[in-house]
Amino acid sequence: MHLLVAEDYDALSRMAARLLADALRAQPRASLVLPTGNTPLGLYRELAALHARGAFDTARLHVFQLDEYLGVTPDDPRSFYGWIRRVALDPLGIEAERVVRLRGDAPDPDAACREYAAAVRDAGGFDQVVLGLGANGHLGFNEPPADPASPTRMVRLSAETLASNARYWGGEGRVPPYAVTCGMANILAARRKLLLVSGAEKRDALRRALDGPVSPESPASYLQHSGHVTVVADTAAWPWPQRGKARWSGAVGRLRRLVLAAAGR
Ligand code: PGA
């Protein structure tokens, strides 16, 4: 696991965009999972600027949706598809036919999940997954408790997620209570994972993800046992002091050394 601590949100966004642009330049046919949420907005802005300067090509990428609300049509601007199209797909010039949607508006959502899972298998799994972190430790609406082998499926959103997403819907009671997610199994099997974590409200979830027990109660903690993970956090989200004489032990000691290694010190 590589851990990178950026000074602030803008630095996190630039760091993540450089990492992702390098990965996409090396693998222009990648199957790529892009998340919604506030955290990746800066990444998408930076990535679009790099793309406009010719840093990488998107013509052969295949993008998969990470999660979606149930019963919300893709033309609804509050749908995750509508969101990702506005902030990432359009600026990066990625056409609809190269995007595999999670069809939360399908008449039979279970069948739509099976179709999505088949498309992931056909693509040979995900090459690169970009993730945000829920304040309750969820990844892509895999709410705790989440099984690491959980497939693409319908989920009920937790009270914490409904409260957190109320800001996008004008009130908690308006947030769709169900969603579809690509599932933990697909995320953990991805060949590279990039987790972005910003803000003090994510600090506890990040601490549990990196240093807590690996447990269904903290779905992001499964990343501890999953290869090829890069975490980019800003200092507001980073749960440990970066300087001084803090004593590090156990897993945190290992993580601390990794941070220092990642920072080139
Ligand atoms: P946020 O959402 O980036 O809007 O905080 C992250 C998440 O809930 O996965």
Side-chain angles (χ1 to χ4, degrees):
M1 186 184 279
H2 294 279
L3 301 168
L4 297 164
V5 185
E7 189 167 352
D8 55 21
Y9 178 70
D10 285 342
L12 171 153
S13 302
R14 284 194 300 275
M15 215 179 257
R18 275 200 304 275
L19 289 171
L20 196 54
D22 286 349
L24 299 181
R25 192 166 40 242
Q27 196 176 15
R29 292 176 184 276
S31 50
L32 168 69
V33 181
L34 294 178
T36 45
N38 276 337
T39 312
L41 291 179
L43 158 71
Y44 295 144
R45 188 187 61 229
E46 296 293 330
L47 209 54
L50 287 171
H51 179 247
R53 295 206 296 273
F56 64 100
D57 182 26
T58 58
R60 288 168 293 166
L61 287 178
H62 284 96
V63 173
F64 289 76
Q65 217 179 321
L66 177 66
D67 48 12
E68 182 58 278
Y69 292 110
L70 196 72
V72 179
T73 57
D75 54 354
D76 185 322
R78 297 164 306 183
S79 73
F80 279 175
Y81 182 78
W83 180 320
I84 206 79
R85 172 136 299 288
R86 258 188 333 274
V87 301
L89 301 175
D90 282 343
L92 294 172
I94 298 174
E95 307 294 339
E97 55 271 22
R98 281 185 294 114
V99 182
V100 177
R101 279 181 47 217
L102 264 170
R103 291 169 45 231
D105 60 324
D108 181 347
D110 286 330
C113 286
R114 286 194 296 274
E115 279 168 32
Y116 177 98
V120 177
R121 275 195 303 277
D122 288 349
F126 298 141
D127 293 306
Q128 172 80 63
V129 178
V130 184
L131 299 161
L133 178 65
N136 64 352
H138 78 202
L139 296 177
F141 277 165
N142 289 281
E143 301 282 31
D147 189 297
S150 58
T152 303
R153 69 199 187 289
M154 252 194 290
V155 287
R156 189 187 177 94
L157 297 180
S158 66
E160 222 171 335
T161 296
L162 294 176
S164 160
N165 289 10
R167 57 197 154 139
Y168 306 125
W169 289 85
E172 206 171 312
R174 296 187 179 169
V175 184
Y178 290 91
V180 278
T181 169
C182 83
M184 283 308 298
N186 283 326
I187 292 174
L188 295 173
R191 285 175 279 283
R192 285 187 305 278
K193 298 126 207 148
L194 176 61
L195 175 68
L196 309 182
V197 192
S198 171
E201 67 280 12
K202 301 289 175 70
R203 198 180 294 148
D204 189 52
L206 182 58
R207 186 189 53 71
R208 289 187 294 123
L210 297 181
D211 196 36
V214 175
S215 135
E217 298 308 323
S218 166
S221 68
Y222 294 125
L223 295 174
Q224 290 180 30
H225 290 173
S226 157
H228 303 283
V229 177
T230 301
V231 179
V232 185
D234 59 18
T235 47
W238 186 247
W240 298 286
Q242 290 182 78
R243 292 200 179 81
K245 294 192 186 302
R247 293 194 72 78
W248 301 77
S249 63
V252 176
R254 187 164 47 80
L255 296 172
R256 169 72 168 171
R257 281 193 290 280
L258 284 170
V259 175
L260 293 175
R265 282 179 280 160

